[in-house]
Coordinates of all heavy atoms in Angstrom, one line a residue:
F829 N -11.4 -30.3 36.4 CA -9.9 -30.3 36.1 C -9.8 -31.0 34.8 O -10.0 -32.2 34.7 CB -9.1 -30.9 37.2 CG -7.7 -30.6 37.2 CD1 -7.3 -29.3 37.6 CD2 -6.7 -31.4 36.7 CE1 -5.9 -28.9 37.6 CE2 -5.4 -31.1 36.7 CZ -5.0 -29.8 37.1
V830 N -9.3 -30.3 33.7 CA -9.2 -30.9 32.4 C -7.8 -30.9 31.9 O -7.0 -30.0 32.3 CB -10.2 -30.2 31.4 CG1 -11.6 -30.3 31.9 CG2 -9.8 -28.7 31.3
I831 N -7.5 -31.7 30.9 CA -6.3 -31.7 30.2 C -6.5 -30.9 28.9 O -7.3 -31.3 28.0 CB -5.8 -33.1 29.8 CG1 -5.5 -33.9 31.1 CG2 -4.5 -33.0 29.0 CD1 -5.1 -35.3 30.9
G832 N -5.8 -29.7 28.8 CA -6.1 -28.9 27.6 C -5.3 -29.3 26.4 O -5.8 -29.5 25.3
T833 N -4.0 -29.6 26.6 CA -3.1 -29.9 25.5 C -2.3 -31.1 25.9 O -1.8 -31.2 27.0 CB -2.2 -28.8 25.1 OG1 -3.0 -27.7 24.7 CG2 -1.3 -29.2 23.9
N834 N -2.2 -32.1 25.0 CA -1.3 -33.2 25.2 C -0.9 -33.8 23.9 O -1.6 -34.5 23.2 CB -2.1 -34.3 26.1 CG -1.1 -35.4 26.5 OD1 0.1 -35.4 26.3 ND2 -1.7 -36.5 27.0
N835 N 0.3 -33.5 23.4 CA 0.8 -34.0 22.2 C 2.3 -34.2 22.3 O 3.0 -33.6 23.1 CB 0.5 -33.1 21.0 CG 1.0 -31.7 21.2 OD1 2.2 -31.5 21.3 ND2 0.2 -30.7 21.3
I836 N 2.7 -35.1 21.4 CA 4.2 -35.4 21.3 C 4.6 -35.4 19.9 O 3.8 -35.8 19.0 CB 4.4 -36.8 21.9 CG1 6.0 -37.1 22.0 CG2 3.7 -37.9 21.2 CD1 6.3 -38.3 22.8
G837 N 5.8 -34.9 19.6 CA 6.2 -34.7 18.2 C 7.7 -35.2 18.1 O 8.5 -35.1 19.0
V838 N 8.0 -35.7 16.9 CA 9.3 -36.2 16.6 C 9.8 -35.7 15.3 O 9.0 -35.6 14.3 CB 9.4 -37.8 16.6 CG1 10.8 -38.3 16.3 CG2 8.9 -38.4 17.9
A839 N 11.0 -35.3 15.2 CA 11.6 -34.8 14.0 C 13.1 -35.1 13.9 O 13.8 -35.1 15.0 CB 11.4 -33.3 13.8
G840 N 13.6 -35.5 12.8 CA 15.0 -35.9 12.7 C 15.3 -36.6 11.4 O 14.4 -36.8 10.5
S841 N 16.5 -37.0 11.2 CA 16.9 -37.6 10.0 C 17.7 -38.9 10.4 O 18.6 -38.8 11.3 CB 17.8 -36.7 9.1 OG 18.3 -37.4 8.0
L842 N 17.4 -40.0 9.8 CA 18.1 -41.3 10.0 C 18.9 -41.7 8.8 O 18.4 -41.9 7.7 CB 17.0 -42.4 10.3 CG 17.6 -43.8 10.6 CD1 18.5 -43.8 11.8 CD2 16.5 -44.8 10.8
Q843 N 20.2 -41.7 9.0 CA 21.2 -42.0 7.9 C 21.3 -43.5 7.9 O 22.1 -44.1 8.6 CB 22.5 -41.3 8.2 CG 23.4 -41.3 7.0 CD 23.0 -40.3 5.9 OE1 22.3 -39.3 6.3 NE2 23.2 -40.5 4.7
L844 N 20.5 -44.1 7.0 CA 20.5 -45.6 6.9 C 21.8 -46.1 6.4 O 22.3 -47.1 6.9 CB 19.3 -46.0 6.0 CG 17.9 -45.6 6.4 CD1 16.9 -46.0 5.4 CD2 17.6 -46.2 7.8
T845 N 22.3 -45.5 5.3 CA 23.6 -45.8 4.8 C 24.3 -44.5 4.4 O 23.8 -43.4 4.7 CB 23.5 -46.7 3.5 OG1 22.9 -46.0 2.5 CG2 22.7 -48.0 3.8
S846 N 25.5 -44.6 3.8 CA 26.2 -43.4 3.4 C 25.4 -42.7 2.3 O 25.7 -41.5 2.0 CB 27.6 -43.7 2.9 OG 27.6 -44.6 1.9
K847 N 24.5 -43.4 1.6 CA 23.7 -42.8 0.5 C 22.2 -42.6 0.8 O 21.6 -41.7 0.3 CB 23.9 -43.7 -0.7 CG 25.3 -43.9 -1.2 CD 26.0 -42.7 -1.7 CE 27.4 -42.9 -2.2 NZ 28.0 -41.7 -2.7
W848 N 21.7 -43.5 1.6 CA 20.2 -43.4 1.9 C 20.0 -42.7 3.2 O 20.7 -42.9 4.2 CB 19.6 -44.8 2.0 CG 19.4 -45.5 0.7 CD1 20.2 -46.4 0.1 CD2 18.3 -45.3 -0.2 NE1 19.7 -46.8 -1.1 CE2 18.5 -46.2 -1.3 CE3 17.2 -44.5 -0.1 CZ2 17.6 -46.2 -2.3 CZ3 16.3 -44.6 -1.2 CH2 16.5 -45.4 -2.3
S849 N 18.9 -41.9 3.2 CA 18.5 -41.1 4.4 C 17.0 -41.1 4.5 O 16.3 -40.9 3.5 CB 19.1 -39.7 4.3 OG 18.6 -38.9 5.4
F850 N 16.5 -41.3 5.7 CA 15.1 -41.3 6.0 C 14.8 -40.1 6.8 O 15.4 -39.9 7.9 CB 14.6 -42.6 6.7 CG 13.2 -42.6 7.1 CD1 12.2 -42.6 6.1 CD2 12.8 -42.5 8.4 CE1 10.9 -42.6 6.5 CE2 11.5 -42.5 8.8 CZ 10.5 -42.6 7.8
D851 N 14.0 -39.1 6.3 CA 13.8 -37.8 7.0 C 12.4 -37.7 7.5 O 11.4 -38.0 6.8 CB 14.1 -36.7 6.0 CG 15.5 -36.8 5.3 OD1 16.4 -37.1 6.0 OD2 15.5 -36.7 4.1
I852 N 12.3 -37.2 8.7 CA 11.0 -36.9 9.3 C 11.0 -35.4 9.7 O 11.7 -35.0 10.7 CB 10.8 -37.8 10.6 CG1 10.7 -39.3 10.2 CG2 9.5 -37.3 11.3 CD1 10.5 -40.2 11.4
N853 N 10.3 -34.6 8.9 CA 10.2 -33.2 9.3 C 9.2 -33.0 10.4 O 9.4 -32.1 11.2 CB 9.7 -32.4 8.0 CG 10.7 -32.5 6.9 OD1 11.9 -32.4 7.1 ND2 10.3 -32.7 5.7
N854 N 8.2 -33.9 10.5 CA 7.3 -33.8 11.6 C 6.5 -35.1 11.7 O 5.9 -35.5 10.6 CB 6.4 -32.6 11.6 CG 5.4 -32.6 12.7 OD1 5.7 -32.3 13.8 ND2 4.1 -32.9 12.3
I855 N 6.3 -35.6 12.8 CA 5.3 -36.6 13.1 C 4.8 -36.3 14.6 O 5.6 -36.4 15.5 CB 5.8 -38.1 13.0 CG1 6.0 -38.5 11.6 CG2 4.8 -39.0 13.6 CD1 6.4 -39.9 11.4
S856 N 3.6 -35.9 14.7 CA 3.0 -35.5 16.0 C 1.8 -36.3 16.2 O 1.0 -36.7 15.3 CB 2.7 -34.0 16.0 OG 3.8 -33.2 15.8
Y857 N 1.6 -36.6 17.5 CA 0.3 -37.4 17.9 C -0.4 -36.5 18.9 O 0.2 -36.2 20.0 CB 0.7 -38.7 18.4 CG -0.6 -39.6 18.8 CD1 -1.3 -40.2 17.8 CD2 -1.0 -39.7 20.1 CE1 -2.4 -40.9 18.1 CE2 -2.1 -40.4 20.4 CZ -2.8 -41.0 19.4 OH -4.0 -41.8 19.7
D858 N -1.7 -36.3 18.7 CA -2.5 -35.5 19.6 C -3.3 -36.5 20.4 O -4.2 -37.2 19.9 CB -3.4 -34.5 18.9 CG -4.1 -33.6 19.8 OD1 -3.5 -32.8 20.5 OD2 -5.4 -33.8 19.9
F859 N -3.1 -36.6 21.7 CA -3.8 -37.6 22.6 C -5.3 -37.3 22.7 O -6.1 -38.2 22.7 CB -3.1 -37.7 23.9 CG -1.7 -38.3 23.8 CD1 -0.6 -37.5 23.8 CD2 -1.6 -39.7 23.8 CE1 0.7 -38.1 23.7 CE2 -0.3 -40.3 23.8 CZ 0.8 -39.5 23.7
P860 N -5.7 -36.0 23.0 CA -7.1 -35.8 23.1 C -8.0 -36.2 21.9 O -9.0 -36.8 22.0 CB -7.3 -34.3 23.3 CG -5.9 -33.9 23.9 CD -4.9 -34.8 23.3
S861 N -7.5 -35.9 20.7 CA -8.2 -36.3 19.5 C -7.8 -37.7 18.9 O -8.4 -38.2 18.0 CB -7.9 -35.3 18.4 OG -6.5 -35.3 18.0
K862 N -6.8 -38.3 19.5 CA -6.3 -39.6 19.2 C -6.0 -39.7 17.7 O -6.5 -40.6 16.9 CB -7.4 -40.7 19.5 CG -7.6 -40.8 21.0 CD -8.7 -41.8 21.3 CE -8.9 -41.9 22.8 NZ -10.0 -42.9 23.2
S863 N -5.2 -38.7 17.2 CA -4.9 -38.7 15.8 C -3.5 -38.1 15.5 O -3.0 -37.4 16.4 CB -5.9 -37.8 15.0 OG -5.9 -36.5 15.5
L864 N -3.0 -38.4 14.4 CA -1.7 -37.9 14.0 C -1.9 -36.5 13.5 O -2.9 -36.1 12.9 CB -1.1 -38.7 12.9 CG -0.5 -40.1 13.3 CD1 -0.1 -40.9 12.0 CD2 0.6 -40.0 14.3
V865 N -0.9 -35.6 13.7 CA -1.0 -34.2 13.3 C 0.0 -34.0 12.2 O 1.2 -33.9 12.5 CB -0.7 -33.3 14.5 CG1 -0.8 -31.8 14.1 CG2 -1.7 -33.5 15.6
Y866 N -0.4 -33.9 11.0 CA 0.3 -33.5 9.8 C 1.7 -34.2 9.8 O 2.7 -33.5 9.9 CB 0.5 -32.0 9.8 CG 0.8 -31.5 8.4 CD1 -0.2 -31.2 7.5 CD2 2.1 -31.2 8.0 CE1 0.0 -30.8 6.2 CE2 2.4 -30.8 6.7 CZ 1.3 -30.6 5.8 OH 1.5 -30.1 4.5
P867 N 1.7 -35.5 9.5 CA 3.0 -36.1 9.2 C 3.6 -35.6 8.0 O 3.0 -35.3 7.0 CB 2.6 -37.6 9.0 CG 1.2 -37.7 9.6 CD 0.6 -36.4 9.4
D868 N 4.9 -35.3 8.1 CA 5.7 -34.8 6.9 C 7.0 -35.6 6.9 O 7.9 -35.4 7.7 CB 6.0 -33.3 7.1 CG 6.7 -32.7 5.9 OD1 6.9 -33.4 4.9 OD2 7.0 -31.5 6.0
I869 N 7.1 -36.6 6.0 CA 8.2 -37.5 5.9 C 8.8 -37.5 4.5 O 8.2 -37.1 3.6 CB 7.8 -39.0 6.3 CG1 6.6 -39.5 5.4 CG2 7.3 -39.0 7.8 CD1 6.2 -40.9 5.7
G870 N 10.0 -38.0 4.4 CA 10.7 -38.0 3.2 C 11.8 -39.0 3.1 O 12.3 -39.5 4.2
I871 N 12.3 -39.3 1.9 CA 13.4 -40.2 1.7 C 14.3 -39.6 0.7 O 13.8 -39.0 -0.3 CB 13.0 -41.6 1.2 CG1 12.1 -42.3 2.2 CG2 14.2 -42.5 0.8 CD1 11.5 -43.6 1.7
T872 N 15.6 -39.6 0.9 CA 16.6 -39.1 -0.1 C 17.6 -40.1 -0.4 O 18.0 -40.9 0.5 CB 17.3 -37.8 0.5 OG1 17.9 -38.1 1.7 CG2 16.3 -36.7 0.7
R873 N 18.1 -40.1 -1.6 CA 19.2 -41.0 -2.0 C 20.2 -40.3 -2.8 O 19.9 -39.5 -3.7 CB 18.6 -42.1 -3.0 CG 19.6 -43.0 -3.6 CD 20.3 -43.9 -2.6 NE 21.0 -45.1 -3.3 CZ 22.2 -45.1 -3.6 NH1 23.0 -44.0 -3.4 NH2 22.8 -46.1 -4.2
D874 N 21.5 -40.4 -2.3 CA 22.6 -39.7 -2.9 C 23.1 -40.5 -4.1 O 23.5 -41.6 -3.9 CB 23.7 -39.5 -1.9 CG 24.8 -38.6 -2.5 OD1 24.8 -38.3 -3.7 OD2 25.7 -38.2 -1.7
L875 N 23.0 -40.0 -5.3 CA 23.4 -40.7 -6.5 C 24.6 -40.0 -7.1 O 24.8 -39.9 -8.3 CB 22.3 -40.7 -7.6 CG 20.9 -41.3 -7.1 CD1 19.9 -41.1 -8.2 CD2 21.1 -42.8 -6.9
H876 N 25.5 -39.7 -6.2 CA 26.8 -39.0 -6.5 C 26.5 -37.6 -7.1 O 26.4 -36.6 -6.3 CB 27.6 -39.8 -7.5 CG 29.0 -39.2 -7.8 ND1 29.3 -38.6 -8.9 CD2 30.1 -39.1 -7.0 CE1 30.6 -38.2 -8.9 NE2 31.1 -38.5 -7.7
C877 N 26.4 -37.4 -8.4 CA 26.1 -36.1 -9.0 C 24.6 -35.9 -9.1 O 24.2 -34.8 -9.5 CB 26.8 -36.0 -10.3 SG 26.6 -37.4 -11.4
W878 N 23.8 -36.9 -8.9 CA 22.3 -36.8 -8.9 C 21.8 -37.0 -7.5 O 22.5 -37.4 -6.6 CB 21.7 -37.8 -9.9 CG 22.0 -37.6 -11.3 CD1 23.1 -37.6 -12.0 CD2 21.0 -37.2 -12.3 NE1 23.0 -37.3 -13.3 CE2 21.7 -37.0 -13.5 CE3 19.6 -36.9 -12.3 CZ2 21.0 -36.7 -14.7 CZ3 19.0 -36.5 -13.4 CH2 19.7 -36.4 -14.6
Q879 N 20.5 -36.7 -7.4 CA 19.8 -36.9 -6.1 C 18.4 -37.3 -6.3 O 17.7 -36.7 -7.1 CB 19.9 -35.6 -5.2 CG 19.3 -35.7 -3.8 CD 19.4 -34.5 -3.0 OE1 19.8 -33.4 -3.6 NE2 19.1 -34.5 -1.8
L880 N 18.0 -38.3 -5.5 CA 16.6 -38.7 -5.6 C 15.9 -38.3 -4.3 O 16.5 -38.4 -3.2 CB 16.5 -40.3 -5.7 CG 15.1 -40.9 -5.7 CD1 15.2 -42.2 -6.6 CD2 14.7 -41.3 -4.3
S881 N 14.7 -37.7 -4.4 CA 14.1 -37.2 -3.2 C 12.6 -37.5 -3.3 O 12.0 -37.4 -4.3 CB 14.3 -35.7 -3.0 OG 13.6 -35.2 -1.9
L882 N 12.0 -37.9 -2.1 CA 10.5 -38.1 -2.0 C 10.1 -37.5 -0.7 O 10.6 -37.8 0.3 CB 10.2 -39.6 -2.0 CG 8.8 -40.0 -1.7 CD1 7.8 -39.5 -2.7 CD2 8.6 -41.5 -1.5
S883 N 9.1 -36.6 -0.8 CA 8.4 -36.1 0.4 C 6.9 -36.3 0.3 O 6.3 -36.2 -0.8 CB 8.7 -34.6 0.6 OG 8.2 -33.9 -0.5
W884 N 6.3 -36.6 1.4 CA 4.9 -36.9 1.5 C 4.2 -36.4 2.7 O 4.8 -36.5 3.8 CB 4.8 -38.5 1.4 CG 3.4 -39.0 1.5 CD1 2.3 -38.5 0.8 CD2 2.9 -40.2 2.2 NE1 1.2 -39.3 1.1 CE2 1.5 -40.3 1.9 CE3 3.6 -41.1 3.0 CZ2 0.8 -41.3 2.5 CZ3 2.8 -42.1 3.6 CH2 1.4 -42.2 3.3
Q885 N 3.1 -35.7 2.5 CA 2.3 -35.2 3.5 C 0.9 -35.8 3.4 O 0.0 -35.3 2.7 CB 2.1 -33.6 3.4 CG 3.5 -32.9 3.5 CD 4.2 -32.9 2.2 OE1 3.6 -32.9 1.1 NE2 5.5 -32.9 2.3
P886 N 0.7 -37.0 4.1 CA -0.6 -37.8 3.9 C -1.8 -37.0 4.3 O -2.9 -37.2 3.7 CB -0.3 -39.0 4.7 CG 0.8 -38.7 5.6 CD 1.6 -37.7 5.0
T887 N -1.7 -36.2 5.4 CA -2.9 -35.5 5.9 C -3.4 -34.5 4.9 O -4.6 -34.4 4.7 CB -2.5 -34.8 7.2 OG1 -2.0 -35.7 8.2 CG2 -3.8 -34.1 7.8
R888 N -2.5 -33.9 4.2 CA -2.9 -32.9 3.2 C -3.1 -33.5 1.8 O -3.7 -32.9 0.9 CB -1.9 -31.8 3.1 CG -2.4 -30.5 2.6 CD -1.3 -29.4 2.7 NE -1.9 -28.1 2.7 CZ -1.2 -27.0 2.5 NH1 0.1 -27.0 2.3 NH2 -1.8 -25.8 2.5
G889 N -2.6 -34.7 1.6 CA -2.7 -35.4 0.4 C -1.7 -34.9 -0.7 O -2.0 -35.0 -1.9
T890 N -0.6 -34.3 -0.3 CA 0.4 -33.8 -1.2 C 1.6 -34.6 -1.1 O 2.0 -35.2 -0.1 CB 0.7 -32.3 -0.9 OG1 1.2 -32.2 0.5 CG2 -0.5 -31.4 -1.0
Y891 N 2.3 -34.6 -2.2 CA 3.6 -35.3 -2.3 C 4.5 -34.7 -3.4 O 4.0 -34.0 -4.3 CB 3.4 -36.8 -2.5 CG 2.7 -37.2 -3.8 CD1 3.4 -37.2 -5.0 CD2 1.4 -37.5 -3.8 CE1 2.7 -37.5 -6.2 CE2 0.7 -37.8 -5.0 CZ 1.4 -37.8 -6.2 OH 0.7 -38.1 -7.3
S892 N 5.8 -35.0 -3.3 CA 6.7 -34.5 -4.3 C 7.8 -35.6 -4.5 O 8.4 -36.1 -3.5 CB 7.3 -33.2 -3.9 OG 8.3 -32.8 -4.8
F893 N 8.1 -35.9 -5.8 CA 9.1 -36.9 -6.1 C 9.9 -36.4 -7.3 O 9.3 -35.9 -8.2 CB 8.5 -38.3 -6.5 CG 9.5 -39.3 -7.0 CD1 10.3 -40.0 -6.2 CD2 9.6 -39.4 -8.4 CE1 11.2 -40.9 -6.7 CE2 10.5 -40.3 -8.9 CZ 11.4 -41.0 -8.0
F894 N 11.2 -36.5 -7.2 CA 12.0 -36.1 -8.3 C 13.4 -36.7 -8.3 O 13.9 -37.1 -7.2 CB 12.2 -34.5 -8.4 CG 13.0 -33.9 -7.2 CD1 14.3 -33.9 -7.3 CD2 12.3 -33.4 -6.1 CE1 15.1 -33.3 -6.2 CE2 13.1 -32.9 -5.1 CZ 14.4 -32.8 -5.1
I895 N 13.9 -36.9 -9.4 CA 15.3 -37.3 -9.6 C 16.0 -36.1 -10.4 O 15.5 -35.8 -11.5 CB 15.5 -38.6 -10.4 CG1 14.8 -39.7 -9.7 CG2 16.9 -38.9 -10.6 CD1 14.8 -41.0 -10.5
A896 N 17.0 -35.5 -9.8 CA 17.5 -34.3 -10.3 C 19.0 -34.3 -10.1 O 19.6 -34.9 -9.2 CB 16.9 -33.1 -9.7
V897 N 19.7 -33.5 -10.9 CA 21.1 -33.1 -10.7 C 21.2 -32.3 -9.4 O 20.3 -31.5 -9.1 CB 21.7 -32.4 -11.9 CG1 23.1 -31.9 -11.6 CG2 21.6 -33.3 -13.2
K898 N 22.2 -32.5 -8.7 CA 22.4 -31.8 -7.4 C 22.5 -30.3 -7.7 O 22.9 -29.9 -8.8 CB 23.7 -32.3 -6.7 CG 23.5 -33.7 -6.1 CD 24.8 -34.0 -5.3 CE 24.6 -35.4 -4.6 NZ 25.8 -35.8 -3.9
P899 N 22.1 -29.5 -6.7 CA 22.1 -28.0 -7.0 C 23.4 -27.5 -7.6 O 24.5 -27.8 -7.1 CB 21.9 -27.5 -5.6 CG 21.2 -28.5 -4.8 CD 21.7 -29.8 -5.4
G900 N 23.3 -26.8 -8.6 CA 24.5 -26.2 -9.3 C 24.0 -25.7 -10.7 O 22.8 -25.4 -10.9
S901 N 25.0 -25.6 -11.6 CA 24.7 -24.9 -12.9 C 23.7 -25.8 -13.8 O 23.1 -25.2 -14.6 CB 26.0 -24.7 -13.6 OG 26.8 -23.8 -12.9
L902 N 23.7 -27.1 -13.5 CA 22.9 -27.9 -14.4 C 21.7 -28.6 -13.6 O 21.2 -29.6 -14.0 CB 23.7 -29.1 -15.0 CG 24.9 -28.6 -15.9 CD1 25.7 -29.8 -16.4 CD2 24.5 -27.7 -17.0
D903 N 21.3 -27.9 -12.5 CA 20.2 -28.5 -11.7 C 18.9 -28.4 -12.3 O 17.9 -28.8 -11.8 CB 20.2 -28.0 -10.3 CG 20.0 -26.5 -10.3 OD1 19.9 -25.9 -11.4 OD2 20.1 -25.9 -9.2
F904 N 18.8 -27.8 -13.5 CA 17.5 -27.7 -14.2 C 17.2 -29.1 -14.9 O 16.1 -29.3 -15.3 CB 17.5 -26.7 -15.3 CG 18.5 -26.8 -16.4 CD1 18.3 -27.6 -17.5 CD2 19.8 -26.3 -16.3 CE1 19.2 -27.8 -18.5 CE2 20.8 -26.4 -17.2 CZ 20.5 -27.2 -18.4
L905 N 18.2 -30.0 -14.9 CA 18.0 -31.4 -15.4 C 17.3 -32.1 -14.3 O 17.9 -32.6 -13.3 CB 19.3 -32.0 -15.7 CG 20.1 -31.4 -16.9 CD1 21.4 -32.0 -17.1 CD2 19.3 -31.4 -18.2
K906 N 16.0 -32.2 -14.4 CA 15.2 -32.8 -13.3 C 14.0 -33.5 -13.9 O 13.4 -33.1 -14.9 CB 14.7 -31.6 -12.4 CG 13.8 -32.0 -11.2 CD 13.3 -30.8 -10.5 CE 14.4 -30.0 -9.9 NZ 13.9 -28.9 -9.1
I907 N 13.6 -34.6 -13.2 CA 12.4 -35.4 -13.5 C 11.5 -35.2 -12.3 O 11.6 -36.0 -11.4 CB 12.7 -36.8 -13.8 CG1 13.8 -36.9 -14.9 CG2 11.5 -37.6 -14.2 CD1 14.2 -38.3 -15.2
P908 N 10.6 -34.3 -12.3 CA 9.7 -34.0 -11.2 C 8.3 -34.7 -11.4 O 7.8 -34.9 -12.5 CB 9.5 -32.5 -11.1 CG 9.6 -32.1 -12.6 CD 10.5 -33.1 -13.3
Y909 N 7.7 -35.1 -10.2 CA 6.4 -35.6 -10.2 C 5.8 -35.2 -8.9 O 6.3 -35.7 -7.8 CB 6.3 -37.1 -10.5 CG 4.9 -37.6 -10.6 CD1 4.1 -37.4 -11.7 CD2 4.3 -38.4 -9.6 CE1 2.8 -37.8 -11.9 CE2 3.0 -38.8 -9.7 CZ 2.3 -38.6 -10.8 OH 1.0 -39.0 -10.9
R910 N 4.7 -34.5 -8.9 CA 4.2 -34.0 -7.6 C 2.7 -33.8 -7.7 O 2.1 -33.7 -8.7 CB 4.9 -32.7 -7.2 CG 4.6 -31.5 -8.1 CD 5.1 -30.2 -7.5 NE 6.5 -30.2 -7.2 CZ 7.4 -29.7 -8.0 NH1 7.1 -29.3 -9.3 NH2 8.7 -29.7 -7.7
K911 N 2.1 -33.7 -6.5 CA 0.7 -33.3 -6.4 C 0.7 -32.1 -5.4 O 1.1 -32.3 -4.2 CB -0.2 -34.4 -5.8 CG -1.7 -33.9 -5.6 CD -2.5 -35.1 -5.0 CE -2.9 -36.0 -6.1 NZ -3.9 -37.0 -5.6
N912 N 0.2 -30.9 -5.8 CA 0.2 -29.8 -5.0 C -1.1 -29.6 -4.2 O -2.0 -30.5 -4.2 CB 0.5 -28.5 -5.8 CG -0.6 -28.2 -6.8 OD1 -1.7 -28.6 -6.7 ND2 -0.2 -27.6 -7.9
Y913 N -1.2 -28.5 -3.4 CA -2.3 -28.4 -2.5 C -3.6 -28.3 -3.2 O -4.6 -28.9 -2.8 CB -2.0 -27.1 -1.7 CG -3.2 -26.6 -0.9 CD1 -3.6 -27.3 0.2 CD2 -3.9 -25.5 -1.2 CE1 -4.6 -26.9 1.0 CE2 -5.0 -25.0 -0.5 CZ -5.3 -25.7 0.7 OH -6.4 -25.3 1.4
Y914 N -3.6 -27.6 -4.4 CA -4.9 -27.4 -5.1 C -5.4 -28.8 -5.7 O -6.6 -29.1 -5.8 CB -4.8 -26.4 -6.2 CG -4.9 -25.0 -5.6 CD1 -3.7 -24.4 -5.0 CD2 -6.0 -24.3 -5.6 CE1 -3.8 -23.1 -4.5 CE2 -6.2 -23.0 -5.0 CZ -5.0 -22.4 -4.5 OH -5.1 -21.2 -3.9
D915 N -4.4 -29.6 -6.2 CA -4.8 -30.9 -6.8 C -5.4 -31.8 -5.7 O -6.3 -32.6 -5.9 CB -3.6 -31.5 -7.4 CG -3.2 -30.8 -8.7 OD1 -4.1 -30.1 -9.3 OD2 -2.1 -31.0 -9.1
A916 N -4.8 -31.7 -4.5 CA -5.3 -32.5 -3.4 C -6.6 -32.1 -2.8 O -7.4 -32.9 -2.3 CB -4.2 -32.6 -2.3
Q917 N -6.9 -30.8 -2.8 CA -8.1 -30.3 -2.1 C -9.3 -30.2 -3.1 O -10.4 -30.2 -2.6 CB -7.8 -28.9 -1.5 CG -6.7 -28.9 -0.5 CD -7.1 -29.7 0.7 OE1 -8.3 -29.7 1.2 NE2 -6.2 -30.5 1.3
F918 N -9.1 -30.1 -4.4 CA -10.2 -29.8 -5.3 C -10.3 -30.9 -6.3 O -9.3 -31.5 -6.7 CB -10.1 -28.4 -5.9 CG -10.0 -27.3 -4.9 CD1 -8.7 -26.7 -4.7 CD2 -11.1 -26.9 -4.2 CE1 -8.6 -25.7 -3.7 CE2 -10.9 -25.8 -3.3 CZ -9.7 -25.2 -3.1

Side-chain angles (χ1 to χ4, degrees):
F829 198 75
V830 298
I831 297 178
T833 303
N834 187 10
N835 59 62
I836 187 171
V838 179
S841 177
L842 179 61
Q843 196 72 30
L844 301 175
T845 67
S846 59
K847 302 294 184 181
W848 282 98
S849 175
F850 178 67
D851 307 314
I852 297 180
N853 297 319
N854 173 75
I855 288 185
S856 301
Y857 183 80
D858 186 70
F859 291 95
S861 63
K862 299 179 181 180
S863 62
L864 290 174
V865 178
Y866 204 81
D868 186 1
I869 58 179
I871 297 175
T872 58
R873 172 69 163 93
D874 187 350
L875 301 173
H876 187 252
C877 50
W878 289 69
Q879 184 178 7
L880 178 148
S881 178
L882 169 66
S883 64
W884 179 40
Q885 300 81 30
T887 303
R888 205 176 200 191
T890 58
Y891 58 83
S892 174
F893 171 81
F894 67 84
I895 301 177
V897 173
K898 287 184 177 179
S901 298
L902 301 181
D903 58 2
F904 62 88
L905 297 175
K906 181 186 298 185
I907 304 176
Y909 185 73
R910 63 167 61 92
K911 176 182 283 188
N912 61 29
Y913 170 71
Y914 281 84
D915 290 339
Q917 296 296 318
F918 303 102

